[in-house]
């Protein structure tokens, strides 16, 4: 829209220069006032627009009062794409005799002043126009940069190592950044990180609404007992074949995790899986660990399967189908490899002779695995299937995934008519607050330039090689996600991937986003702390008396993670570089 | 005839404790009460966990583990009752001891594998429970 206006303005300027009845040298009367319109764009060193930059105009070294939206003001601000338009009224002799300069200031950039010659001014009647070439602002590493970076790293540590609840950690980080901004930044711009109004613009409400509405689905479906019933039927069908049970449970977990939140899937699957393992006289880890790895692999398949994918999809504007087309093959390859490796890594468990569980145990297992509300199950399955169809067809209507989820969950609520107060209590508000605070905090580090530095470093490392950039994106994300929480990591890395996609030739095929999704989604499988489903599964195992140590998890997680990333990496190279299909 | 409360879960360490408690109950001709505590505090630092009724899921699992413990007692010609409480372990054990009018509370000595507590932590918890309830607490 703004581009169109700039083009119209450019045509108008050209027209004015060619056909203007008077030139800048020949304006009306000697003492007449003229209106000068200045347009331009302010960018960072990556060529991305700088928003909220302050624009001041100086003539002969003196600051002039501007007209912004018809009101007098000392300062105008740049828009989200970095563009600005300012008007000022001044006597024509001032325009003809004084040097004109535009000064751009921003707390995270070096103040820059650009002058221009009078030859660049085009006039028609009493209105003059000048379009200033792009003003590039270099970053400054002021105290705000170091404070914001420090806050982000501390919060990252808190979240990754479960020192405090993720939501408290993210709120603490956001509060610290806002506190520094308001308490110190007002007095000294060097401490200005981000203000509240700017920070809330970074909240991605697509993600928030998508998460919230999918929680409603999950809350209703979890009340039906479907997960437990399917697990029990698996146990009965497999007739004592432990590997078959594990394989089917792994597939169930992977499929559910692709369309529902992987953490909640594991909360439902782990307790029943432990019981099944004990009934079959095998160590629960032989079922639970492959399951949790499957939840991460399956979750990587779709835009709604895992929070990192939701963040990537929403930030970049990728659709449900785009995610499925590009990530489903990766997940399928990963699932096949996982099943083979599970057979190999747990061969002792699967090869041992199982003993027949007692009737009492089977009865107990069956009691806890009933469909609790058939009517509710049928309704929720029908609406969920309809919602999935809408996800598949949403591209035709240009409908964002959040809108699909809102429509689907509203339909379910309307049909099921649950107690809405109870239902809203089921929504995990801590998660939503966590995401909002996280987005605000990531906005803070974007404002001070940390993301820009990371992006430029990766770009310098990769040069113009898309292959190298893709490999870096996969493995750096995977290793990082294995040791730190993948949600804040992904939130910080998406803008980096966007920058690389814009600057590396050939990256328009979005391969870097898929590389990030693969790394962030599957890297978390390597360690116990790599993703929330791992922590949940380990916690429930502990409650059953089977403590899962860090090394126990990694002994299985590291090789499987390596293989399930290494092989799909070749798929990515084959699909996006070698065969281009 | 008293009541022995044995807080238990699953796994090798718990089986040893269950066996010791069964032996003790038989020797003293006491009633054995296996307790499983539904403690969801591990989810306190995880987002996304509030959507599911985790207490119910863990309660089902606990009932299964208690059934296993009961079978273990039956295999040794002993009878055992079971009970599930929700909350933090030390509070739940104290509550059960009070409600069931227990004469003895037993905890398993932490083994190398699968122990939620270390020995000093367990001793402190046992002392605190004994102080609060007046019921003898033993680590076996």
């Amino acid at each position: 829209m703004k581009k169109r206006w700039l083009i119209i303005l450019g045509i108008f300027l050209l027209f004015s220069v060619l056909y203007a009845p008077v030139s800048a040298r020949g304006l009306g009367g000697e003492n007449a006032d003229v209106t000068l319109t200045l347009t331009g764009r302010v960018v960072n060193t990556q060529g991305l627009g700088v928003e909220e930059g302050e624009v001041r105009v100086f003539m002969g070294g003196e600051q002039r009062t501007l007209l912004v939206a018809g009101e007098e003001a000392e300062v105008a601000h740049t828009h989200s794409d970095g563009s600005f338009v300012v008007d000022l009224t001044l006597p024509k002799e001032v325009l003809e005799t004084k040097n004109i300069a535009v000064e751009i200031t921003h707390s995270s950039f070096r103040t820059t002043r650009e002058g221009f010659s009078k030859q660049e001014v085009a006039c028609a009647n009493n209105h003059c126009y000048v379009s200033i070439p792009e003003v590039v602002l270099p970053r400054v590493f002021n105290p705000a940069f170091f404070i914001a970076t420090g806050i982000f790293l501390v919060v990252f540590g808190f979240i990754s190592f479960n020192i405090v609840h993720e939501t408290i950690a993210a709120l603490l980080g956001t509060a610290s950044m806002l506190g520094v901004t308001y308490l110190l930044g007002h007095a000294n711009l060097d401490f200005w990180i981000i203000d509240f109004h700017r920070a809330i613009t970074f909240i991605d409400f697509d993600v928030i609404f998508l998460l919230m509405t999918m929680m409603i689905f999950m809350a209703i479906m979890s009340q039906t007992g479907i997960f437990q019933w399917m697990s029990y039927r698996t146990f009965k069908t497999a007739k004592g074949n432990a590997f078959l049970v594990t394989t089917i449970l792994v597939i169930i977990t992977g499929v559910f995790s692709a369309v529902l939140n992987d953490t909640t899937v594991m909360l439902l699957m782990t307790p029943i899986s432990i019981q099944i393992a004990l009934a079959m006289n095998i160590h629960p880890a032989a079922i639970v660990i492959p399951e949790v790895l499957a939840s991460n692999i399956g979750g990587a398949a779709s835009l709604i399967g895992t929070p990192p994918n939701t963040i990537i999809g929403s930030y970049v504007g990728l659709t449900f189908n785009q995610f499925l087309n590009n990530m489903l093959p990766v997940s399928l390859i990963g699932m096949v490899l996982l099943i083979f490796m599970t057979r190999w890594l747990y061969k002792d468990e699967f090869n041992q002779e199982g003993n027949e569980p007692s009737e009492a145990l089977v009865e107990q297992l069956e009691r806890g695995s009933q469909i609790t509300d058939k009517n509710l199950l049928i309704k929720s399955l029908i609406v969920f299937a309809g919602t999935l169809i809408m996800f598949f067809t949403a591209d035709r209507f240009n409908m964002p995934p959040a809108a699909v989820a809102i429509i689907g969950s509203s339909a379910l609520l309307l049909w099921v008519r649950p107690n809405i107060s109870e239902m809203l209590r089921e929504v995990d508000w801590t998660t939503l607050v966590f995401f909002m605070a996280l987005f605000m905090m990531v906005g803070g580090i974007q404002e001070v330039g940390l993301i820009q530095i990371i992006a430029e470093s990766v770009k310098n490392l990769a040069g113009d090689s898309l292959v190298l950039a893709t490999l870096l994106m996969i493995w750096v994300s995977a290793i990082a996600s294995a040791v730190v929480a993948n949600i804040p990591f992904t939130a910080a890395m998406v803008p980096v991937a966007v920058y690389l996609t814009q600057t590396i030739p050939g990256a328009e095929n979005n391969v870097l986003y898929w590389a990030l999704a693969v790394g962030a989604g599957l890297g978390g499988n390597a360690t116990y702390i790599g993703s929330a489903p791992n922590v949940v599964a380990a916690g429930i195992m502990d409650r059953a008396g089977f403590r899962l140590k860090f090394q126990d998890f990694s002994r299985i997680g590291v090789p499987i993670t390596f293989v399930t990333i290494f092989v799909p990496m070749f798929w990515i190279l084959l699909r996006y570089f070698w065969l281009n299909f | 005839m008293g009541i022995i409360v044995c807080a238990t879960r699953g796994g090798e360490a718990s089986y040893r404790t269950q066996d010791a408690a069964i032996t003790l109950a038989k020797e003293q001709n006491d009633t054995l009460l296996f307790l499983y505590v539904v403690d969801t505090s591990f989810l306190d630092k995880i987002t996304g966990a509030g959507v599911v009724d985790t207490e119910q899921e863990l309660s089902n699992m606990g009932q299964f583990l208690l059934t296993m413990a009961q079978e273990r007692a039956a295999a040794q010609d002993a009878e055992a009752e079971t009970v599930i409480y929700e909350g933090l372990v030390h509070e739940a054990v104290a509550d059960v001891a009070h409600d069931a009018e227990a004469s003895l509370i037993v905890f398993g000595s932490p083994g190398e594998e699968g122990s939620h507590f270390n020995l000093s932590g367990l001793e402190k918890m046992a002392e605190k429970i004994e102080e609060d309830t007046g019921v003898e607490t033993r680590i076996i």
Side-chain angles (χ1 to χ4, degrees):
Chain A
M1 194 68 179
K2 290 214 169 64
K3 268 191 181 162
R4 190 183 295 171
W5 277 109
L6 285 174
I7 291 166
I8 292 168
L9 191 62
I11 293 167
F12 185 66
L13 282 174
L14 192 66
F15 184 83
S16 306
V17 169
L18 293 174
Y19 297 102
V22 285
S23 71
R25 288 173 182 276
L27 290 166
E30 282 297 308
N31 296 317
D33 280 353
V34 289
T35 302
L36 176 65
T37 299
L38 289 156
T39 62
R41 186 163 178 258
V42 182
V43 295
N44 63 17
T45 48
Q46 294 178 347
L48 301 173
V50 174
E51 192 176 354
E52 293 285 308
E54 294 184 349
V55 182
R56 292 179 178 81
V57 178
F58 292 83
M59 289 201 169
E62 271 183 36
Q63 190 181 342
R64 304 292 306 197
T65 301
L66 310 174
L67 280 171
V68 179
E71 302 272 323
E72 285 196 347
E74 295 301 310
V75 172
H77 289 93
T78 55
H79 303 298
S80 58
D81 63 349
S83 65
F84 65 87
V85 180
V86 295
D87 288 327
L88 60 159
T89 307
L90 65 166
K92 73 166 186 168
E93 70 269 17
V94 173
L95 183 62
E96 287 173 348
T97 56
K98 306 274 186 184
N99 291 324
I100 310 169
V102 173
E103 184 184 87
I104 315 289
T105 55
H106 190 288
S107 56
S108 301
F109 294 89
R110 191 176 304 148
T111 298
T112 302
R113 196 179 275 204
E114 288 279 332
F116 53 89
S117 66
K118 289 170 198 70
Q119 282 74 30
E120 292 171 74
V121 180
C123 294
N125 298 325
N126 285 332
H127 206 137
C128 296
Y129 304 89
V130 62
S131 180
I132 299 160
E134 266 189 355
V135 181
V136 181
L137 296 188
R139 285 276 180 190
V140 284
F141 298 112
N142 55 14
F145 172 84
F146 294 105
I147 293 170
T149 304
I151 290 170
F152 187 72
L153 291 176
V154 168
V155 169
F156 215 69
F158 280 2
I159 294 171
S160 299
F161 303 107
N162 279 331
I163 294 168
V164 291
H165 191 287
E166 291 166 325
T167 306
I168 296 173
L171 276 174
L172 190 72
T174 306
S176 305
M177 287 188 185
L178 292 175
V180 169
T181 300
Y182 285 106
L183 299 178
L184 303 174
H186 265 300
N188 183 349
L189 266 186
D190 280 346
F191 289 89
W192 186 276
I193 300 173
I194 190 167
D195 67 20
F196 176 72
H197 295 290
R198 178 86 179 120
I200 57 174
T201 63
F202 283 90
I203 298 174
D204 190 335
F205 282 101
D206 277 3
V207 173
I208 303 298
F209 274 95
L210 191 54
L211 288 172
M212 186 179 78
T213 45
M214 293 312 287
M215 279 177 197
I216 291 172
F217 268 114
M218 196 69 204
I220 291 175
M221 288 183 81
S222 70
Q223 290 170 8
T224 64
I226 179 73
F227 296 90
Q228 296 83 343
W229 179 82
M230 286 180 78
S231 303
Y232 176 70
R233 296 313 308 169
T234 301
F235 165 72
K236 291 294 280 181
T237 310
K239 294 191 170 114
N241 185 332
F243 177 64
L244 184 60
V245 169
T246 306
T247 302
I248 298 173
L249 291 180
V250 159
I251 292 169
I252 290 173
T253 308
V255 171
F256 272 121
S257 295
V259 289
L260 293 166
N261 180 273
D262 48 6
T263 305
T264 37
V265 168
M266 280 318 293
L267 273 170
L268 292 165
M269 291 297 288
T270 309
I272 186 75
S273 300
I274 290 171
Q275 293 169 61
I276 289 172
L278 292 174
M280 300 185 83
N281 200 29
I282 63 170
H283 196 286
I287 296 182
V288 173
I289 292 183
E291 267 181 355
V292 77
L293 302 180
S295 82
N296 290 320
I297 295 170
S302 84
L303 186 143
I304 54 174
T306 182
N309 283 8
T310 309
I311 292 171
I312 296 167
S314 182
Y315 190 95
V316 181
L318 298 168
T319 65
F320 186 86
N321 285 343
Q322 277 178 300
F323 246 97
L324 214 58
N325 286 339
N326 291 280
M327 291 299 293
L328 184 61
V330 170
S331 280
L332 289 176
I333 295 169
M335 289 293 283
V336 171
L337 292 169
L338 169 68
I339 290 167
F340 277 111
M341 289 194 70
T342 298
R343 181 76 186 90
W344 175 57
L345 290 165
Y346 285 108
K347 57 181 179 297
D348 293 342
E349 290 293 333
F350 297 136
N351 288 341
Q352 73 179 1
E353 285 236 344
N355 47 0
E356 194 69 19
S358 70
E359 271 184 31
L361 284 180
V362 176
E363 269 173 30
Q364 176 56 40
L365 199 57
E366 191 176 4
R367 239 194 324 273
S369 313
Q370 302 290 324
I371 297 290
T372 49
D373 189 335
K374 259 188 194 164
N375 196 27
L376 182 66
L377 176 64
I378 291 167
K379 286 178 180 175
S380 55
L381 284 179
I382 289 171
V383 177
F384 191 62
T387 307
L388 282 180
I389 292 168
M390 275 205 292
F391 272 124
F392 292 131
T393 54
D395 297 4
R396 293 185 184 192
F397 309 102
N398 210 13
M399 202 189 304
V404 173
I406 288 171
I407 293 170
S409 60
S410 303
L412 185 59
L413 288 174
L414 195 67
W415 198 8
V416 170
R417 300 281 175 94
N419 180 325
I420 196 69
S421 308
E422 276 179 23
M423 189 43 60
L424 289 178
R425 270 200 294 274
E426 300 282 350
V427 171
D428 191 356
W429 296 101
T430 61
T431 302
L432 304 182
V433 174
F434 164 68
F435 273 91
M436 285 194 264
L438 176 69
F439 286 135
M440 289 166 83
M441 201 172 50
V442 171
I445 58 167
Q446 261 183 276
E447 285 289 280
V448 298
L450 179 62
I451 299 292
Q452 188 183 335
I453 289 169
I454 296 170
E456 284 172 356
S457 305
V458 178
K459 176 76 172 69
N460 289 340
L461 217 56
D464 278 344
S465 167
L466 185 57
V467 174
L468 189 54
T470 303
L471 296 181
L472 273 173
M473 191 61 83
I474 291 174
W475 289 105
V476 169
S477 306
I479 293 165
S481 296
V483 288
V484 294
N486 62 0
I487 295 173
F489 175 81
T490 307
M493 279 302 283
V494 186
V496 174
V498 169
Y499 168 65
L500 296 174
T501 300
Q502 286 170 348
T503 53
I504 296 179
E508 310 80 49
N509 60 2
N510 294 335
V511 64
L512 292 172
Y513 304 131
W514 314 130
L516 175 59
V518 168
L522 306 188
N525 270 341
T527 64
Y528 165 102
I529 55 165
S531 74
N534 305 4
V535 182
V536 163
I540 296 174
M541 287 269 288
D542 183 57
R543 292 304 182 268
F546 298 90
R547 190 153 217 205
L548 208 51
K549 289 181 184 167
F550 190 90
Q551 59 269 34
D552 294 335
F553 191 97
S554 297
R555 190 172 56 81
I556 305 297
V558 169
I560 289 182
T561 303
F562 180 76
V563 172
T564 54
I565 294 179
F566 193 75
V567 177
M569 179 189 78
F570 278 102
W571 164 261
I572 287 173
L573 293 174
L574 193 74
R575 177 168 179 176
Y576 301 99
F577 296 97
W578 297 333
L579 297 181
N580 276 319
F581 62 92
Chain B
M1 201 171 106
I3 293 175
I4 298 175
V5 172
C6 175
T8 190
R9 293 177 295 160
E12 285 304 319
S14 296
Y15 300 152
R16 280 197 301 274
T17 309
Q18 287 169 12
D19 287 344
I22 291 164
T23 307
L24 200 62
K26 280 168 73 178
E27 280 172 6
Q28 296 182 184
N29 203 24
D30 283 343
T31 302
L32 181 57
L33 181 61
F34 283 121
L35 161 71
Y36 180 81
V37 181
V38 174
D39 175 6
T40 55
S41 58
F42 69 100
L43 296 174
D44 286 351
K45 291 173 187 167
I46 295 171
T47 55
V51 180
V52 174
D53 186 357
T54 313
E55 282 85 3
Q56 184 57 48
E57 299 307 319
L58 291 189
S59 185
N60 285 344
M61 184 177 79
Q63 195 54 59
F64 185 89
L65 296 171
L66 291 176
T67 306
M68 286 181 76
Q70 255 180 331
E71 287 191 339
R72 207 171 182 85
Q76 295 172 51
D77 295 324
E79 276 190 23
E81 291 172 16
T82 62
V83 65
I84 294 180
Y85 268 55
E86 287 181 14
L88 297 171
V89 175
H90 63 279
E91 289 172 0
V93 171
D95 288 346
V96 172
H98 176 264
D99 296 347
E101 296 177 351
S103 54
L104 179 67
I105 301 166
V106 295
F107 290 106
S109 179
E112 283 185 10
E113 297 289 328
S115 297
H116 186 72
F117 300 98
N118 57 31
L119 185 59
S120 65
L122 189 64
E123 282 172 346
K124 273 184 196 162
M125 187 176 81
E127 272 172 33
K128 177 85 172 68
I129 290 171
E130 193 167 308
E131 205 178 285
D132 291 347
T133 60
V135 178
E136 184 192 347
T137 307
R138 216 182 283 177
I139 296 171
I140 54 178

